[in-house]
Amino acid sequence: MSLGQGDKLKLMVVDDEPDNLDLLYRTFRREFQVFKAANGFEALDILAQQGEMAVIISDQRMPRMNGTEFLSRTVAHFPDTIRIVLTGYTDVDDLVEAINSGKVFKYITKPWNPENLKTVVLQAADTYKVVKQRTKALTQALRRESVINTVLKALRESLDYASMLHKVVQTLGDTCDATHAILHPIPALPTGLHDSQALESGPYAYQAKSPLSSELQAFLLEDSRKRICLEPEQLQANLASLTFQGLAIRALTLPLIYQQNYLAVVVLYQIGSGIPWSSDTLGLVEGITEQIALAISQAQLYQHTRLQTHQMQTELAVARQIQANLLRQQLPVVNGVRIQARCLPAREVGGDFFEVYCHPQGDLWLAVGDVSGKGVPAALFMASALSVLRRELAQATPAAPYRLMQTLNQSLSMELVSNNCFITLVLVRYVPTTGQVIYANAGHIYPMVWSDYQGQGQAPAKPPHPNYLEQRGVPLGILPEWNGQVGEYWLRGGDTLLLASDGLTDATVTVAGTTDSQATLKQVGLWQLLQQQAPPLNLDHLLSTIQALNVGQVDDQTVLSLEVLAP
């Protein structure tokens, strides 16, 4: 704002008649600091020396440069100045030109009434104050928004929490023209996180281009630490003065608080006899600390989330390995048959499982199961089901598949029902000496059986359609007592029995010959892929083919095969 001596607004009067200048000076000298100029050139020189005037009163008819031309030259440099034109003429063209080019507030004719002129000038002064206040408020708002945008942009560009805090202290230091700035974070890790490297302790420092001596840096660091050793209730924004080896230092302490949580403390330093912080700058900085604290809080939350995610991923990786170890790592070797089994979880852990167990009596037990749902809950039920199944199969004389299904349902149904889960399972007992297959199916997809035949002088080939073992009951965990029909089949040399989970048949694949047409594979599509494979069967190749066609695996994929070798 244009203030002169004694906080008076500055007023300039321009007239080529000395009597008018003296009269105007005497009229306004009590309310304003008045500057006199006899012509436009002299007035421009005064403006160059004194800066902005609150009000300019100029005569219109002056030699060499008229009032309109003079006022128009002041618009670019002093847009907020209020301009008043005095003239003894009533030329309309002059009036229009003065208003348009000179941004004139009032046009007053001579001779003027001193009281009326004084009233107009006081109104002009009030208008000037309002304009400056609004301009100041707008400038502060724009500056505040600019600083906040700069901070938020810096946060978005930061690679991690530590670099983000560096950006914050650097932005505050630049904004406040600080010589040096130090930020001390106050981390508060959630319960259960014990990573000492989670949020670095800092501090984070900023300094202007001129480097500080190591002694001065150590002094400022120690001073900043003293300012955060207070109790949180005592920590408030404050401005202090201190000295170091004769150097005057101003220190501004800014606590960054969000929802009564102390996140960090920033101490800004001005060293030497430079221009001290203005009240506008202090108000600006205090006004944006809440937004900066919010940004830091969000970044801190994001960092915590990253740590939790990393910890969860680590734990899930361990769980995946444990679950993989629950499945048979080495399949039994049985004369006359070839066994393969594969399981690909859709997530780190899943609910699919398989079992291959060779009983000491010689029977070979095969199973493929699928727990409803995905992730950790399904994996826990999978472990329970596999544990119960192995316990029953390890008996001296295992029960028939039908009875084993009833035992599994009785052991698991209460937990399954309470958690709104169920298990589909197909359980097969194969007798190698006779080729007999007895099976029970609890809501699982049908097992497939086929025999590769070989014509005269031809390579082995698959039949047009497989045999589906279609005896099936409800899934485990649906009814208190499981009921289903017993299935029986006889395998011969060259026959293949395939058990699979619905992760294969329900896979969404890209239709051959198209780029955007998609369909569910189903058992028909699975059989077509099997037909395309040359003997012997390779489950790794089968799964990789499905993965290549799969739009995105959303369910666990498990498959088990038993091939009876030709004699």
Side-chain angles (χ1 to χ4, degrees), residues 105-119:
F105 176 73
K106 287 288 184 179
Y107 197 99
I108 298 176
T109 59
K110 297 178 182 179
W112 63 82
N113 182 300
E115 291 301 323
N116 291 341
L117 177 60
K118 192 170 185 177
T119 300

Side-chain angles (χ1 to χ4, degrees), residues 159-396:
L159 299 177
D160 52 35
Y161 183 70
S163 62
M164 182 274 292
L165 293 181
H166 276 297
K167 290 287 187 180
V168 168
V169 69
Q170 180 180 355
T171 302
L172 286 174
D174 289 337
T175 300
C176 300
D177 295 325
T179 310
H180 196 70
I182 300 175
L183 183 148
H184 291 274
I186 307 176
L189 290 177
T191 302
L193 288 180
H194 304 291
D195 189 348
S196 60
Q197 301 299 320
L199 298 177
E200 296 184 24
S201 58
Y204 302 93
Y206 156 86
Q207 60 179 331
K209 294 181 180 179
S210 301
L212 303 180
S213 65
S214 57
E215 294 83 1
L216 180 54
Q217 291 185 44
F219 172 79
L220 297 179
L221 179 59
E222 182 63 25
D223 175 76
S224 67
R225 284 173 175 161
K226 292 178 182 178
R227 298 177 185 277
I228 63 170
C229 289
L230 302 173
E231 293 297 324
E233 308 81 54
Q234 301 173 338
L235 191 57
Q236 298 177 350
N238 63 82
L239 184 62
S241 298
L242 53 151
T243 58
F244 174 78
Q245 296 180 354
L247 280 175
I249 302 175
R250 289 173 292 276
L252 175 61
T253 303
L254 296 171
L256 300 180
I257 307 169
Y258 180 69
Q259 293 184 345
Q260 298 182 346
N261 292 323
Y262 284 82
L263 305 176
V265 176
V266 180
V267 186
L268 305 175
Y269 293 98
Q270 275 189 334
I271 302 173
S273 57
I275 301 175
W277 285 308
S278 65
S279 58
D280 292 345
T281 299
L282 296 178
L284 169 66
V285 174
E286 292 181 3
I288 65 174
T289 52
E290 183 176 351
Q291 286 81 1
I292 294 177
L294 171 61
I296 292 179
S297 175
Q298 292 174 338
Q300 198 176 69
L301 177 61
Y302 172 70
Q303 184 76 354
H304 292 159
T305 304
R306 285 185 59 189
L307 290 171
Q308 290 176 324
T309 302
H310 176 71
Q311 183 174 345
M312 184 178 298
Q313 288 175 343
T314 302
E315 293 173 355
L316 287 175
V318 175
R320 182 186 183 100
Q321 186 60 46
I322 293 174
Q323 186 180 36
N325 292 336
L326 287 176
L327 302 176
R328 296 289 181 187
Q329 301 301 301
Q330 291 184 344
L331 299 179
V333 178
V334 180
N335 292 331
V337 297
R338 179 171 176 260
I339 306 170
Q340 300 178 73
R342 300 290 185 273
C343 181
L344 295 178
R347 300 182 181 176
E348 283 79 3
V349 293
D352 274 18
F353 62 94
F354 66 84
E355 174 62 356
V356 179
Y357 179 73
C358 186
H359 195 272
Q361 294 181 354
D363 292 347
L364 186 61
W365 291 83
L366 310 174
V368 169
D370 182 5
V371 181
S372 63
K374 299 177 181 66
V376 174
L380 294 175
F381 278 116
M382 166 266 188
S384 297
L386 196 54
S387 175
V388 175
L389 177 60
R390 287 175 175 172
R391 182 193 69 194
E392 296 301 318
L393 292 179
Q395 299 295 325

